[in-house]
Amino acid sequence: MNQRAPMRSFNSRLHVVVLASVVLLTVTAWSASGRRGVETIVTPGQQAEVVGQKRKVVDQGITYQNQPVELVDLQINGKAANLSRGINADTEWLKGLSFKVKNLSKKRILKIDLFLIFPDTESNGGRLLICPMHYGVGLNDPGNVQGVEPLKQNETAAFGVSDELYTELKRHLEERIPLGNVNHVRISLELIVFDDDTAWGSGQEMRRDPNNPRRWIPIE
C-alpha cells in the first residue's frame, strides 16, 4: 500500500497533503435522514472514565456498502486506535489526531471532502461544531485538476489535526463546552470526486450537473 507524497494545495502556498479549513461550521442540528447506510452507535461503556482519563472515541457515524474508500490507520495521542472502540487519553487528545482514507475503488480519486463533527458540543442545547477537511482540488472546483496527483486504488491520503488547526479547534470548542468534555469525534465522508468526472456522496453515485458545473446530481 502506498501513501501519497505531499502535494500543493490550490488555495495555499504550503506543500500539504490535507488542507483543513480554519473556518469552522456550526449548525443547530445534524440529520442523517435519507441516507442509506449503517450508523455506528457509541455506547455509554465506551465513554467511561478510567483512572482520571476518559474514553476517546472516533467513528465514521454512517457507513455505506458502496462507499469507495475506507478509514484506516487511526492514531490518537501517537497510539494506534480502532474506529468506534476508542482509547483512554487525556484532555489534549485532539492534538495530533490523524487517520488515512484508502481508495478501494478502481477509479482514481481527485478530491476528498469530509467533516470532523464534534457531537459533544450539542450537549445542553449547544451548537454542533463541524470542521471541514479536504484532499485534492478546492471545494466545488469545477474540473480544474491541473497539478493534482490522483489517488490510485489501494493508495491512501493522510488527514491530521495540525498544531495550527488544534489551536483553532480548541478555541471554538471551549466557547461551547469544557475541553475535558470532548470525548467523541465523528468523521463524515461528504464527497469523493474521481478523474472520470463522476463522484460519490452519501451512498449515491453522482455526475456533474450540466447546467451548473459546481453541483453534483445522482446518477439514475
Side-chain angles (χ1 to χ4, degrees):
M1 177 177 68
N2 298 322
Q3 181 177 342
R4 302 308 309 173
M7 60 174 291
R8 181 178 294 275
S9 165
F10 280 87
N11 297 320
S12 173
R13 293 182 179 179
L14 297 177
H15 291 270
V16 295
V17 173
V18 173
L19 174 65
S21 172
V22 295
V23 178
L24 304 178
L25 307 180
T26 57
V27 297
T28 56
W30 178 259
S31 173
S33 61
R35 298 184 175 188
R36 295 186 296 274
V38 178
E39 184 171 4
T40 299
I41 304 298
V42 179
T43 65
Q46 292 173 312
Q47 298 283 10
E49 187 172 354
V50 179
V51 194
Q53 296 182 335
K54 289 187 177 180
R55 198 76 171 171
K56 311 302 182 182
V57 176
V58 178
D59 63 36
Q60 184 178 335
I62 299 177
T63 57
Y64 303 90
Q65 292 183 347
N66 69 339
Q67 69 182 41
V69 299
E70 68 173 336
L71 304 177
V72 298
D73 295 340
L74 174 66
Q75 297 277 331
I76 297 175
N77 275 8
K79 298 179 180 179
N82 295 322
L83 283 170
S84 302
R85 285 190 177 182
I87 190 173
N88 294 332
D90 59 24
T91 301
E92 301 286 324
W93 70 288
L94 293 174
K95 190 174 184 179
L97 174 70
S98 66
F99 57 93
K100 296 176 183 177
V101 177
K102 181 180 179 181
N103 182 7
L104 301 179
S105 73
K106 295 181 180 179
K107 297 181 180 181
R108 297 188 299 175
I109 293 175
L110 293 181
K111 182 175 74 163
I112 301 171
D113 291 339
L114 60 83
F115 290 151
L116 296 186
I117 302 172
F118 298 85
D120 296 312
T121 57
E122 280 193 302
S123 62
N124 300 321
R127 294 176 299 166
L128 183 65
L129 185 67
I130 299 176
C131 174
M133 303 184 81
H134 316 291
Y135 168 89
V137 298
L139 188 65
N140 292 326
D141 194 319
N144 182 11
V145 297
Q146 184 177 2
V148 173
E149 189 72 19
L151 200 67
K152 299 176 183 177
Q153 186 177 26
N154 294 324
E155 291 183 336
T156 60
F159 287 76
V161 177
S162 65
D163 290 346
E164 179 184 7
L165 178 58
Y166 177 73
T167 299
E168 288 293 310
L169 281 174
K170 183 177 180 179
R171 178 170 63 86
H172 285 276
L173 286 166
E174 289 182 329
E175 290 175 354
R176 293 161 175 78
I177 59 175
L179 196 61
N181 292 347
V182 180
N183 303 310
H184 183 195
V185 172
R186 177 154 289 163
I187 302 171
S188 175
L189 297 170
E190 293 301 307
L191 184 67
I192 312 293
V193 178
F194 304 102
D195 64 349
D196 65 352
D197 210 33
T198 62
W200 177 94
S202 301
Q204 293 184 310
E205 295 181 356
M206 295 183 288
R207 60 182 177 87
R208 202 179 293 276
D209 186 343
N211 299 317
N212 183 356
R214 294 181 179 273
R215 181 172 179 264
W216 296 91
I217 57 178
I219 297 176
E220 298 179 355

